[in-house]
Amino acid sequence: MRTRTHRTRRLLGGAVALAAAAAGAVVAVTLTAGTADAGTGTGYLHTSGNKIVDSTGATVRLTGINWFGMETDNHTFHGLWAGRPATWTQQIDHMAQLGFNTIRVPYTGDSLRSGATATSVNTDTNPELVGLSPLQILDKVVNYAGSKGMRIILDRHRPTAAGQTPLWYTAAASEASEIADWQSLASRYANNPTVIGADLFNEPHADGTDPNGTGSCWGCGDTTKDWRLAAERIGNAVLQTNSNWLIFVEGVSCDGNGGSPNVYDNIPDDPMACDWWGGNLSKAGTYPVRLNVANRLVYSAHDYGISVYDRQPWFKDPNFPNNLPDVWDHFWGYLYKQNIAPVLVGEFGSTLQNPLDTQWLTKLMQYMGQGTNGISFTYWSWNPDSGDTGGIVSDDWNTVNQAKMNIIGPYLNPPVGGGGPTSQGPTSPSPSRSVSTSPSPSRSASSSPPPANGGCSATYEVTSSWPGSPGGFQTTVTVKAGTSAISKWTIKWTFANGQTITQLWNGTLTASGSAVTVTNTAYNGTIPANGSTSFGFTGTWTGTNAVPTLTCTA
């Protein structure tokens, strides 16, 4: 396994992060895929007050995940080096099965250049990606995620792969070059509504101390530092190319002239003058971003826990964590609560190694709310190689961090209506080895009898399969309620050919020999009339991977 460390120094006022250790071993997840009545809507999205709505006017809530790597010197998604079962398609399948309906994709302009090379792609698990450019791999991820009913947000994470900067431009990457990159992407995906918009620049922030700060400010009027004015220029240029896109605009870190307060001047500092990098939108109400196309603006904030940086003043409040909603109201929540504009919390995460972070994350999820009317978000991150937060999956890029998902899971609106996953493997076998292209037996499925009133049915589908001694496979089981809602379910079957389950998510497994029983978790037992949920698993097989007959009881 090949690993990377990703540090974003997402702190207040130019302070230096204390990087937390990477997440340790975790157990297989047994939790919800979220409510099953939402999805990501139809067609392109736009805004209405504080809501994101689809082409029919239906409210859409984005509950997504960050999958980074295209902003680093790998120039493509991290985890493409992982072993089986974590192929690139399986990872997207896994995100969708857990309930994430959107992927935020960080990138740098370096990855868009002619001749840019994607590195660390596993030739065994992802042979179809070998030799492709970063943009060609992005195309594949976009198309496959779209087939799952997911959406994509592109994030200009860094000017270059060298690292994050306080301003949106550098000597090596001008604002004009950033606009050109955005217009190129907006044109490339102009006819693909899977890609819904542009997060214009990641975490603009203060540099130095005021009154002589040299970083990003909001509303200060200096065109070289005022991120609000730059967001208008860049956002309007994007909309000239693709007027259907949403424009996501992050905050800055500190009030003032582009610097953080001077703690050495003996003048009391406002404890609410600075927030996380990209998290301070407190002045957006007074100095709003003005776009030339109406109903396209979404503000985006970042927020993190104590294990990322423990010196934020609100963490020391004796009323913690009950003081946190007032903090969020001040920096960005008011935009949503006052119906000014939608808000997407574009990054938030923690290793949860500090027990207080569980309180922080629980309170934040409650604050953002459930269902279609809550605040949208993309959690940081899918990747286990984020040095200060860890990821949803562990170092094998497959085992899920149950502690995190137990908190996040109930707030996810899973993608629906995207169709089943496609087969794994290349179009043609590699000359050096035989590779399964998931022949028709691996796509076969079986269903239990149709549900009666108060009953349920279940459909078993092998979504991917690969050879070996033994071979491996992945399966999705969809549980559907009849014409009456149910509050619990149990699925049973017997493997006829010695198959063995190695990992199961979104359900509770009991196995005795070849007999398998899966029951709902505490979160996904309730299914509305004619609604559905799903669980998935990976396993091994020898001989024939025959599809078993299922029974469903409620």
Side-chain angles (χ1 to χ4, degrees):
M1 179 181 300
R2 194 169 181 182
T3 60
R4 296 287 186 274
T5 298
H6 185 279
R7 307 190 193 281
T8 56
R9 293 189 174 89
R10 39 178 76 89
L11 312 175
L12 93 112
V16 178
L18 299 177
V26 291
V27 297
V29 69
T30 55
L31 50 106
T32 182
T35 57
D37 58 351
T40 54
T42 301
Y44 280 105
L45 307 182
H46 58 281
T47 69
S48 177
N50 66 358
K51 306 297 183 189
I52 298 173
V53 297
D54 72 0
S55 59
T56 71
T59 300
V60 169
R61 186 181 183 212
L62 307 175
T63 60
I65 190 79
N66 285 270
W67 188 10
F68 69 74
M70 199 175 172
E71 82 287 13
T72 71
D73 56 7
N74 292 103
H75 300 300
T76 193
F77 299 89
H78 284 187
L80 298 185
W81 57 69
R84 295 188 186 276
T87 65
W88 72 277
T89 53
Q90 183 270 347
Q91 292 192 58
I92 296 173
D93 290 342
H94 204 171
M95 295 174 197
Q97 289 160 353
L98 290 172
F100 296 105
N101 66 28
T102 301
I103 304 174
R104 180 174 178 258
V105 180
Y107 79 91
T108 177
D110 291 349
S111 298
L112 309 184
R113 303 291 171 256
S114 176
T117 301
T119 64
S120 301
V121 177
N122 190 315
T123 58
D124 173 60
T125 51
N126 299 307
E128 65 270 49
L129 303 184
V130 175
L132 298 186
S133 71
L135 277 173
Q136 288 171 328
I137 294 176
L138 178 61
D139 289 343
K140 282 187 170 289
V141 169
V142 166
N143 291 333
Y144 190 77
S147 77
K148 306 297 293 182
M150 303 175 80
R151 302 284 192 159
I152 298 287
I153 298 171
L154 300 177
D155 155 45
R156 175 80 172 204
H157 205 73
R158 298 170 173 173
T160 70
Q164 186 65 24
T165 58
L167 297 168
W168 57 97
Y169 62 91
T170 67
S174 66
E175 180 180 305
S177 73
E178 178 176 359
I179 288 174
D181 289 343
W182 270 126
Q183 289 182 321
S184 175
L185 290 168
S187 177
R188 188 181 190 91
Y189 298 114
N191 297 311
N192 189 338
T194 296
V195 184
I196 57 172
D199 188 337
L200 297 181
F201 183 69
N202 183 68
E203 296 183 345
H205 58 273
D207 194 27
T209 57
D210 279 337
N212 300 312
T214 59
S216 293
C217 63
W218 190 289
C220 68
D222 184 338
T223 56
T224 66
K225 296 190 295 184
D226 194 330
W227 168 236
R228 174 250 193 167
L229 297 179
E232 292 176 348
R233 295 191 298 270
I234 301 167
N236 283 324
V238 173
L239 291 171
Q240 284 180 347
T241 301
N242 187 344
S243 62
N244 288 313
W245 268 14
L246 295 175
I247 302 299
F248 297 86
V249 179
E250 298 184 27
V252 292
S253 60
C254 293
D255 299 336
N257 195 45
S260 57
N262 187 344
V263 298
Y264 306 106
D265 60 5
N266 296 318
I267 300 174
D269 297 319
D270 182 356
M272 299 295 283
C274 295
D275 193 19
W276 304 97
W277 289 3
N280 187 348
L281 287 158
S282 62
K283 290 191 172 183
T286 305
Y287 301 102
V289 172
R290 299 157 295 184
L291 298 177
N292 294 334
V293 181
N295 302 319
R296 296 296 184 270
L297 174 64
V298 179
Y299 287 109
S300 181
H302 292 185
D303 199 85
Y304 281 92
I306 296 170
S307 62
V308 173
Y309 183 71
D310 65 358
R311 299 181 188 179
Q312 301 286 31
W314 42 89
F315 292 149
K316 308 299 183 183
D317 191 300
N319 196 35
F320 175 87
N322 294 324
N323 64 312
L324 294 178
D326 288 340
V327 174
W328 298 322
D329 282 349
H330 171 78
F331 285 120
W332 47 268
Y334 74 96
L335 295 164
Y336 179 85
K337 290 186 175 181
Q338 295 178 23
N339 203 38
I340 295 172
V343 173
L344 170 95
V345 182
E347 291 184 19
F348 62 104
S350 166
T351 61
L352 298 186
Q353 289 183 345
N354 186 325
L356 294 178
D357 272 8
T358 298
Q359 299 181 47
W360 159 79
L361 183 57
T362 299
K363 185 65 69 173
L364 179 58
M365 299 309 301
Q366 293 170 348
Y367 181 86
M368 292 190 291
Q370 291 180 298
T372 57
N373 292 319
I375 294 173
S376 293
F377 62 81
T378 49
Y379 182 81
W380 187 276
S381 61
W382 179 252
N383 305 48
D385 57 330
S386 176
D388 45 12
T389 67
I392 290 295
V393 287
S394 192
D395 285 345
D396 62 359
W397 293 83
N398 184 54
T399 304
V400 176
N401 187 310
Q402 184 172 350
K404 293 179 181 181
M405 284 302 300
N406 281 342
I407 300 173
I408 300 167
Y411 297 87
L412 297 176
N413 291 352
V416 295
T422 61
S423 62
Q424 312 239 9
T427 303
S428 59
S430 164
S432 62
R433 58 182 300 273
S434 175
V435 181
S436 169
T437 57
S438 295
S440 57
S442 72
R443 296 291 301 164
S444 59
S446 69
S447 298
S448 63
N453 288 348
C456 61
S457 64
T459 300
Y460 179 110
E461 182 181 16
V462 178
T463 56
S464 63
S465 180
W466 52 94
S469 300
F473 68 103
Q474 181 173 327
T475 292
T476 296
V477 176
T478 301
V479 184
K480 183 176 181 179
T483 55
S484 300
I486 61 175
S487 60
K488 62 181 180 178
W489 48 264
T490 299
I491 311 299
K492 293 184 177 182
W493 70 86
T494 299
F495 282 126
N497 297 91
Q499 298 100 319
T500 300
I501 293 176
T502 55
Q503 184 184 15
L504 184 140
W505 52 89
N506 296 349
T508 301
L509 171 68
T510 303
S512 177
S514 59
V516 177
T517 300
V518 180
T519 58
N520 60 272
T521 69
Y523 303 110
N524 64 353
T526 299
I527 305 177
N530 299 313
S532 64
T533 188
S534 66
F535 62 89
F537 63 87
T538 54
T540 60
W541 59 277
T542 56
T544 302
N545 188 20
V547 173
T549 300
L550 277 61
T551 62
C552 183
T553 56

